[in-house]
Amino acid sequence: MQAVCVDKPGGPENLLLRTIPRPRPKDGEVLIKVHATALNRADLLQRRGLYPPPPGESDIIGVKRGWRPDDRVMALLCGGGYAEYVAVPEELLMPVPRHLTLSQAAAIPEAWLTAFQLLALVAQVKEGEVVLAHAGASGVGTAAVQLVRLFGAVPVVTAGSPEKLKMAEELGAAAGFNYKEENFAQAVHDFTGADVILDCIGGCNWEQNVSCLATDGRWVLYGTMGGRVVEGDLLGKLLSKRGHLLSSLLRSRSLQYKADLVRAFSHRVLPHFSDQAVSLRPVIDSTFNLEDIAEAHRHMEANKNMGKIIINVTPQKQETQC
């Protein structure tokens, strides 16, 4: 099969398309022919040698989804998505909502399961609470905005351009703040403060995060795109708010945890992708072919994308929605 390999850590030019053996499914796994996958920030880190796959998982990059001829499925992966075939534990499969194309479905598993985990399991968001999501036009951000609305809470976002803020507001954000042009902490304060913060930025935002966090609020850290080092009175200021600092990663979780997460998501959220009254939708920024994977990585590294970047793995005729 064709797959994207990395011989040595480095830039996008180190992504090589090669022919390698198909994976052999273990007991309890399903071999899936991959139609499309989607880029994640973790893929960029893995390419650079900074985020290796968990022990025993494929070292082929790609943490998304695939399909098999009999069933249209999508799956949560630890790796292996940048290839024509991938072996997946059957507990991590989900049916593709009938009206979505396979390319649209590729944008769901990692981003939406991450957002669902952060909101429902980690922060335990309650109806009426205000949730601040950084990177509101990212894959996780666009999913979080829609999930916050689904759970009866109020989403507000930060982003770095008017276009990204407009997209987030069209998806349901009650307000959006351009972190490049204004102090988002003051803007969130004026909006009543944040009961929950979903933070993929980290270090450079800590003071504004604590400033706009409501008393007894939950600050959920799931990335450090803005740095890992914190200088200053973080603990004192967080203590004065009685704030909760929580952190979570999905990739390193156990198979049982992921299976329970997929089951809960399939029950609470997946039906709403087909519900006309709610109409959740994955947001796609752009589509690349597998042989253009380096360009796709460069596009993400430039922070130009709004929503998910999709990689078409298996060429086929134009898709139609069912």
Side-chain angles (χ1 to χ4, degrees), residues 130-131 156 187-196 212-214:
V130 174
V131 179
V156 297
V188 175
H189 261 307
D190 295 343
F191 194 82
T192 70
D195 300 293
V196 173
C212 68
L213 188 68

Side-chain angles (χ1 to χ4, degrees), residues 150-168:
L150 181 66
F151 298 157
V154 181
V156 297
V157 303
T158 64
S161 73
E163 294 78 14
K164 291 182 176 182
L165 293 175
K166 181 180 179 182
M167 168 180 280

Side-chain angles (χ1 to χ4, degrees), residues 84-265:
E84 293 178 316
Y85 292 88
V86 64
V88 185
E90 58 184 337
E91 303 99 317
L92 304 187
L93 297 180
M94 295 174 283
V96 173
R98 62 182 181 81
H99 71 290
L100 295 185
T101 67
L102 295 170
S103 293
Q104 289 173 319
I108 294 177
E110 187 74 14
W112 283 78
L113 284 165
T114 295
F116 177 74
Q117 176 208 21
L118 298 175
L119 292 166
L121 305 186
V122 180
Q124 299 182 16
V125 170
K126 300 176 180 65
E127 186 174 349
E129 289 189 317
V130 174
V131 179
L132 170 62
H134 291 309
S138 66
V140 174
T142 55
V145 167
Q146 296 177 74
L147 288 173
V148 170
R149 283 295 186 192
L150 181 66
F151 298 157
V154 181
V156 297
V157 303
T158 64
S161 73
E163 294 78 14
K164 291 182 176 182
L165 293 175
K166 181 180 179 182
M167 168 180 280
E169 290 172 1
E170 288 173 349
L171 291 171
F177 315 110
N178 190 330
Y179 66 87
K180 294 181 179 180
E181 297 180 351
E182 63 181 314
N183 182 316
F184 71 78
Q186 184 59 52
V188 175
H189 261 307
D190 295 343
F191 194 82
T192 70
D195 300 293
V196 173
I197 299 174
L198 299 189
D199 182 19
C200 58
I201 306 301
C204 67
N205 272 359
W206 81 262
E207 287 188 276
Q208 291 192 73
N209 280 335
V210 176
S211 175
C212 68
L213 188 68
T215 301
D216 295 317
R218 289 93 76 202
W219 170 14
V220 182
L221 181 69
Y222 70 100
T224 54
M225 292 171 56
R228 300 183 177 189
V229 177
V230 171
E231 297 181 358
D233 187 21
L234 167 61
L235 296 180
K237 292 183 177 181
L238 189 63
L239 184 62
S240 70
K241 292 285 187 80
R242 299 198 303 268
H244 301 251
L245 177 57
L246 308 167
S247 65
S248 183
L249 293 173
L250 180 53
R251 191 182 198 189
S252 58
R253 298 280 190 172
S254 68
L255 174 59
Q256 185 60 58
Y257 180 96
K258 293 175 182 175
D260 291 342
L261 179 65
V262 166
R263 190 177 304 110
F265 179 84

